[in-house]
Amino acid sequence: MSTDVTNQRRTPFQLENLIASSGITNPESAESTRAATPLNPGTPVSEKETFVVNLSTENHPVLSQSEKPSLPHEGESAIPEDVQEEEIENKEDDWVHDPRNARNWPVAKKWRMVMIVSFYTLVPPLASSMMAPALPEIGEHFGITNPTVVSLTLSIFLITFALGPLILAPLSEIYGRTWILHICNILSLAFNLGCGFVKTTGSLIGLRILAGLAGSAPVAIGGGTISDCFSERDRSSAMAIYSLGPLIGPAVGPIAGGYIAQTVGYKYIFVVIAGLSGVCAAFGIPLLRETYGPVIRLRLIKKSGQDVEKVETHPHLVAAHGPGSQFHVLWVNLTRPFILLTRSAVCFLLSFYMALQYGFYYLMFATFPTLFITVYGFNTGTSGLAYIGLGVGFLASTMFGGWFGDKVYQMMTQRNGGKGSPEMRIPALVLGSLFPPIGLFWYGWSAQAQIHWIMPIIGTGVFGFASRHSCT
């Protein structure tokens, strides 16, 4: 079988094979050599080579590098894959310019994904802290006399909330981000609803553990969804909206929880959380689309009905993400955090510092009801307003901390000849780390001295500003 291929372009995958067989090590020189010495008309081409050309250019003609359009939202991918692997996969087909790539979707579709994922991410932080003002009522209902156990019903949520991403993030790279979000949201709905109607303390703690595990999915996956849709040059606005959930959720939740517990009882705090999860499902299931590139590409292969032929043009994609590689992907992603934590001093110290800050954060949550109800005479509803100080501190830190950190980074980059490095974020972190002890001392001293109730709240605001600034 022969064909005239004088004016027919070769696919990147075909060119890769020709380069390997010819011993040329520079793909660009190979392309220029082919262009300078075209094949004569009637030159026979192998049957396999002709098949690959026809298969790859049948629906999506391959353009040369100079002919490829420059899309405004292209950029180096931030998905957790090696750069070498990504380069190989992009040579197998022109995925970078493919309209089915989430980076090349219309802007309106991208922002729809951002809004849905941000809504998903708002609910678990609310669930983590919304019951805080109702802790005295919960302790009385279950007959809990030990204050440590009462606090445990609140803070136990964070154990699996922190560990869940180690499992759920790798699963999202095997089965896709969308279905992990949907399934975990429905499980979170069920577990939180169960918390409102259990009969024993052990059942409440057990369901809080499971709710934390299911609720960690949006925090683990949402950032990846945004990086799938936006390049590093234009994702800052999307990340700002996405981060509002973890930022204001823990502070806004207790405000609503206090009045809910006072008016209709603590059980309805969990009913409201379950209702919000239901609203997420109502919008997310029909509207949220898969954004993770390798999973989209494998689904397209299966949908085409030409598995054998398509696999021939995507060998590295299938080897890295296809059937049989699930356990490898899961193992690599499960072990990577522990390797970073144990072998990188910087990673360990930053993780330890953030864990310490979150410990102080939820310790405040557990002490607020007792302090403001017992000492200052607040009722359950108004005690929730005491959390406004933390929320204001978080928001102020987001606005000032980001601006200050960028200023320091740009200044140090200019001094370094225009080259930036991650270490240039450290000075802003060091400055922020000086203030959490001030906020904690302010809160503790003013509470012990029982001076005006605004003083402990100001102290919590200082702590919230400093801890959020130093952690970002």
Side-chain angles (χ1 to χ4, degrees):
M1 183 177 183
S2 64
T3 185
D4 184 351
V5 294
T6 304
N7 298 318
Q8 188 174 27
R9 299 191 181 277
R10 300 178 186 272
T11 65
F13 180 61
Q14 181 190 8
L15 183 59
E16 185 83 7
N17 289 336
L18 294 177
I19 293 169
S21 63
S22 62
I24 298 174
T25 57
N26 188 343
E28 294 182 1
S29 64
E31 177 69 21
S32 61
T33 301
R34 184 184 65 79
T37 57
L39 297 175
N40 294 324
T43 301
V45 182
S46 67
E47 200 168 312
K48 178 180 179 180
E49 186 178 2
T50 304
F51 169 75
V52 175
V53 172
N54 293 336
L55 175 65
S56 300
T57 60
E58 182 178 7
N59 298 319
H60 303 283
V62 178
L63 303 176
S64 67
Q65 193 66 32
S66 61
E67 294 172 330
K68 291 174 182 178
S70 178
L71 299 178
H73 300 292
E74 284 182 8
E76 182 180 350
S77 176
I79 58 178
E81 295 179 6
D82 295 333
V83 175
Q84 183 179 5
E85 175 184 329
E86 189 170 278
E87 289 178 353
I88 295 173
E89 290 184 1
N90 286 331
K91 288 178 182 178
E92 292 173 1
D93 61 7
D94 195 19
W95 180 248
V96 174
H97 295 81
D98 196 309
R100 295 166 294 189
N101 185 341
R103 291 277 179 96
N104 303 325
W105 287 352
V107 174
K109 186 176 181 180
K110 290 183 182 182
W111 278 101
R112 188 178 76 198
M113 303 301 110
V114 171
M115 293 303 177
I116 294 174
V117 170
S118 300
F119 193 14
Y120 270 115
T121 311
L122 172 65
V123 178
L126 284 174
S128 72
S129 62
M130 200 170 182
M131 62 180 285
L135 287 179
E137 184 180 348
I138 291 173
E140 181 180 354
H141 176 83
F142 289 99
I144 306 173
T145 57
N146 189 334
T148 302
V149 178
V150 174
S151 301
L152 188 65
T153 61
L154 171 71
S155 59
I156 197 70
F157 183 97
L158 294 179
I159 293 179
T160 48
F161 193 71
L163 298 177
L166 300 180
I167 300 174
L168 297 176
L171 287 177
S172 72
E173 296 183 7
I174 298 174
Y175 302 106
R177 308 195 195 280
T178 302
W179 282 109
I180 300 297
L181 286 171
H182 293 333
I183 293 172
C184 288
N185 178 63
I186 293 173
L187 291 176
S188 179
L189 185 156
F191 296 143
N192 280 297
L193 187 62
C195 287
F197 299 94
V198 293
K199 302 297 182 182
T200 63
T201 305
S203 299
L204 176 62
I205 292 176
L207 285 177
R208 287 283 289 173
I209 292 175
L210 295 174
L213 177 63
S216 66
V219 178
I221 300 172
T225 300
I226 292 174
S227 68
D228 290 339
C229 295
F230 295 92
S231 70
E232 69 280 1
R233 297 189 301 271
D234 56 1
R235 71 169 65 115
S236 57
S237 297
M239 286 301 297
I241 293 176
Y242 165 75
S243 63
L244 283 177
L247 179 69
I248 67 174
V252 172
I255 298 174
Y259 285 105
I260 293 172
Q262 180 181 339
T263 54
V264 293
Y266 82 91
K267 293 182 178 180
Y268 287 90
I269 293 176
F270 299 106
V271 172
V272 169
I273 295 171
L276 290 174
S277 297
V279 174
C280 287
F283 284 97
I285 292 177
L287 298 178
L288 189 63
R289 296 291 179 264
E290 182 57 52
T291 60
Y292 187 48
V295 172
I296 295 175
R297 296 165 75 184
L298 287 175
R299 289 178 181 176
L300 291 172
I301 293 174
K302 294 178 181 179
K303 187 177 179 180
S304 68
Q306 301 178 4
D307 292 344
V308 177
E309 292 85 355
K310 288 292 184 180
V311 166
E312 287 184 11
T313 62
H314 302 76
H316 192 268
L317 173 67
V318 175
H321 303 282
S325 64
Q326 289 91 338
F327 289 106
H328 171 72
V329 174
L330 188 63
W331 174 253
V332 168
N333 285 276
L334 283 175
T335 55
R336 183 180 296 154
F338 296 100
I339 293 173
L340 288 173
L341 191 64
T342 56
R343 299 185 185 180
S344 171
V346 173
C347 182
F348 174 79
L349 291 174
L350 287 176
S351 300
F352 179 78
Y353 178 77
M354 291 186 67
L356 188 65
Q357 297 300 323
Y358 265 88
F360 291 147
Y361 184 26
Y362 277 82
L363 182 62
M364 282 187 173
F365 274 17
T367 59
F368 277 11
T370 302
L371 172 65
F372 289 99
I373 293 176
T374 304
V375 176
Y376 291 103
F378 288 18
N379 57 36
T380 304
T382 54
S383 68
L385 299 176
Y387 296 83
I388 291 178
L390 284 169
V392 171
F394 290 159
L395 290 176
S397 176
T398 300
M399 293 183 289
F400 173 79
W403 171 82
F404 178 74
D406 287 341
K407 283 288 185 182
V408 173
Y409 183 85
Q410 292 169 6
M411 180 181 64
M412 297 187 70
T413 299
Q414 291 176 356
R415 291 181 179 178
N416 195 37
K419 295 181 179 180
S421 64
E423 290 77 12
M424 294 178 182
R425 299 286 182 183
I426 298 296
L429 184 149
V430 172
L431 179 62
S433 67
L434 300 177
F435 292 92
I438 297 175
L440 288 172
F441 178 80
W442 191 325
Y443 169 71
W445 170 79
S446 58
Q448 185 179 24
Q450 299 184 14
I451 56 178
H452 193 273
W453 54 265
I454 194 62
M455 295 304 291
I457 293 178
I458 293 175
T460 63
V462 173
F463 172 79
F465 175 87
S467 63
R468 178 63 65 175
H469 173 72
S470 57
C471 287
T472 53

